[in-house]
Amino acid sequence: MHLLIVSCTPRAVAASNTDKILTAFCEGFEAQGNTTERYYLARRDTWPQIRDAFAQNDDVLFALPLFVECVPGMMLEFLETLTPKAGKTKISFLLQGGFVEGCQLRCCEAYLETLPAYLGCIYNGTLLKGGMFGVSFVPDQQREKVLAPFVQAGTQFAQDGCFDKQKANEFAQPEYLSKGKALVLRLSKPVQKMVFRKIAKEKMHSTEPLDAKPFLQVVK
Amino acid sequence: MEYLIVSTLPPQHEGAAELIGQLAETLPQAEVVYTQQMKISACLGCNSCWLKTPGRCPIHDDYEPLMLKFLQAKAVVFVCDTKLGFLSYQAKNLFDRILPLATMYLTIVDGQMRHIPRYHKNLAAAVLYTGQSDNAYLNRWLARAMLNLHGVSLGAYPFEEKGAALDALAHC
Ligand SMILES: Cc1cc2nc3c(=O)[nH]c(=O)nc-3n(C[C@H](O)[C@H](O)[C@H](O)COP(=O)(O)O)c2cc1C
């Protein structure tokens, strides 16, 4: 199969979690003798080429980060410029988000199930996974561990030709936080704050308090 | 200002003009903002508003003054059109750019992860839309989006149901 992949994050490619996940996914997918071509909505000047590729390909994968419970605004802007097709193109989605639980991605998934029909295409399943916020920040070894399941998912997609709902549900686990995990998260708040501050300092060169309130005086 | 009406549709849009006129007449101290003449970019997902310049977006366009109005209003009414079964991208951008109002820090509310809000502010929002869309879905989405901001959804309504929207807004 030849798969057209569009990375739909507005984030610069080098910093994007979506792109790192896609690289892992393609490793598994291409090892099965398949080919891919990849485009990035963050590179606005390439939108005409992406539209052409969409018109010419029958197997399409849109990969996106969850933005406020649904599709990023920039992705919607791009989709609004597409000319609907004649019915045999299959669209699959790879959706990833920051929060850990699978349930956080379900509202967006429900929208994605309806989206291909608006574009004259066929819905071909969604792979979803939470807990991806740190992919670009963590040390290489940890990143490899987080990304390994996506290599596997690429292999599986090559075999199934779609994202099977049941397998996708397993992949999205945990659907909810267990009571134990929730407690650990609650208790680890001070550690969590330290980690975020460290990221801010090392990756963003910022030492401002992360809960700064620059507009406190205007709140009513 | 008590009520903020933000329209992504232009002032000359027939349905919106009539609707906004009625909203502004009925709701006390309503301010109307049209975003079409404003420059509002999409969120670029850079995380600066959480990690580099906490609370501030590095994109210096017309969004920040609007976001400050959100912090002052009792309720915000978004008036927009829908495309592809969801809010138009212009309207979604207004929600995506709201991230500076949350902090990076995490908490758990009703068993689900959430961000700790940056300010003590009970945001309340309603969406009034034109165009074909699944109303149940838009309500589901808005409820979740507002939950994430520790705010409340006052509901999503097609223009024709403005009576119900006014009711919800008057009683919030
Ligand atoms: C504007 C914005 C909104 C977001 N909304 C959510 C959300 O509703 N739920 C969630 O789990 N993660 C949310 N995230 C986190 C991203 O989905 C997550 O960090 C993702 O890995 C980013 O991928 P990228 O680097 O390819 O853009 C949001 C991030 C941004 C910038």
Side-chain angles (χ1 to χ4, degrees):
Chain A
M1 188 204 299
H2 179 74
L3 186 65
L4 164 67
I5 300 177
V6 185
S7 168
C8 300
T9 176
R11 200 172 181 189
V13 180
S16 151
N17 296 335
T18 305
D19 192 53
K20 294 176 182 71
I21 289 167
L22 277 175
T23 298
F25 180 84
C26 288
E27 188 187 322
F29 180 71
E30 290 172 2
Q32 305 293 306
N34 299 294
T35 52
T36 61
E37 58 183 291
R38 205 187 307 179
Y39 294 89
Y40 304 90
L41 292 192
R43 297 178 180 156
R44 272 186 183 264
D45 57 332
T46 65
W47 283 18
Q49 284 99 292
I50 310 178
R51 280 191 282 270
D52 287 347
F54 177 75
Q56 281 155 21
N57 282 273
D58 287 335
D59 290 290
V60 180
L61 173 71
F62 286 126
L64 61 141
L66 183 62
F67 264 30
V68 188
E69 302 292 333
C70 206
V71 169
M74 188 189 279
M75 177 175 172
L76 288 173
E77 182 180 357
F78 171 75
L79 294 175
E80 285 181 24
T81 70
L82 289 177
T83 309
K85 298 182 78 174
K88 66 175 179 166
T89 298
K90 290 186 275 184
I91 302 182
S92 313
F93 297 96
L94 195 168
L95 168 67
Q96 51 89 18
F99 293 139
V100 169
E101 319 100 292
C103 66
Q104 302 264 7
L105 301 140
R106 297 296 179 188
C107 180
C108 182
E109 181 193 28
Y111 174 65
L112 297 177
E113 286 168 0
T114 67
L115 177 59
Y118 287 98
L119 301 169
C121 299
I122 301 158
Y123 177 70
N124 200 40
T126 301
L127 184 76
L128 38 115
K129 191 72 188 162
M132 293 295 121
F133 176 79
V135 168
S136 297
F137 293 129
V138 294
D140 290 353
Q141 226 179 349
Q142 205 175 331
R143 183 178 310 122
E144 249 172 60
K145 208 172 135 201
V146 174
L147 294 179
F150 288 97
V151 180
Q152 202 71 46
T155 310
Q156 194 67 55
F157 184 77
Q159 283 164 12
D160 296 345
C162 66
F163 289 124
D164 173 76
K165 177 100 180 165
Q166 203 179 332
K167 286 175 196 159
N169 282 346
E170 281 163 29
F171 192 83
Q173 290 292 322
E175 185 68 18
Y176 294 95
L177 289 176
S178 66
K179 286 224 166 78
K181 254 230 167 100
L183 185 69
V184 170
L185 247 163
R186 233 177 238 131
L187 295 176
S188 65
K189 267 186 197 164
V191 181
Q192 193 205 103
K193 288 190 177 181
M194 254 169 52
V195 171
F196 288 142
R197 261 187 242 129
K198 192 163 170 251
I199 295 176
K201 203 168 163 195
E202 286 174 7
K203 307 282 177 184
M204 302 284 204
H205 312 290
S206 169
T207 50
E208 275 189 63
L210 298 189
D211 55 0
K213 296 171 178 52
F215 301 117
L216 187 61
Q217 77 284 1
V218 309
V219 181
K220 276 200 188 134
Chain B
M1 178 253 298
E2 260 194 59
Y3 290 92
L4 178 66
I5 301 165
V6 184
S7 175
T8 60
L9 292 166
Q12 61 275 20
H13 184 282
E14 223 172 87
E18 193 193 324
L19 174 82
I20 291 168
Q22 282 173 358
L23 289 173
E25 234 170 66
T26 317
L27 299 169
Q29 296 183 48
E31 181 178 334
V32 184
V33 173
Y34 291 96
T35 61
Q36 208 211 19
Q37 298 104 322
M38 298 164 75
K39 201 172 170 301
I40 297 181
S41 150
C43 168
L44 302 179
C46 68
N47 291 324
S48 289
C49 66
W50 281 350
L51 292 167
K52 192 169 185 174
T53 52
R56 288 179 195 268
C57 176
I59 307 171
H60 296 293
D61 58 5
D62 295 327
Y63 187 76
E64 192 175 274
L66 186 61
M67 186 184 80
L68 298 191
K69 287 185 196 286
F70 294 166
L71 289 174
Q72 297 178 313
K74 180 173 161 188
V76 184
V77 189
F78 294 92
V79 178
C80 63
D81 56 352
T82 54
K83 299 265 173 71
L84 305 170
F86 194 64
L87 306 191
S88 65
Y89 78 88
Q90 292 94 337
K92 182 59 165 46
N93 283 343
L94 299 179
F95 281 88
D96 290 354
R97 292 281 302 276
I98 220 162
L99 246 61
L101 299 190
T103 69
M104 177 76 258
Y105 296 146
L106 300 168
T107 184
I108 294 170
V109 182
D110 294 334
Q112 285 187 36
M113 288 172 82
R114 301 270 163 245
H115 288 284
I116 295 177
R118 192 170 296 282
Y119 305 101
H120 287 289
K121 167 72 189 175
N122 289 323
L123 292 165
V127 169
L128 275 150
Y129 64 91
T130 177
Q132 290 300 313
S133 265
D134 178 358
N135 180 258
Y137 181 75
L138 292 184
N139 269 294
R140 175 182 173 185
W141 170 76
L142 186 63
R144 277 202 72 94
M146 293 313 292
L147 198 70
N148 236 335
L149 296 162
H150 301 257
V152 288
S153 161
L154 301 173
Y157 309 85
F159 278 11
E160 305 79 59
E161 287 173 25
K162 58 181 175 239
L166 273 168
D167 235 24
L169 285 158
H171 295 104
C172 75

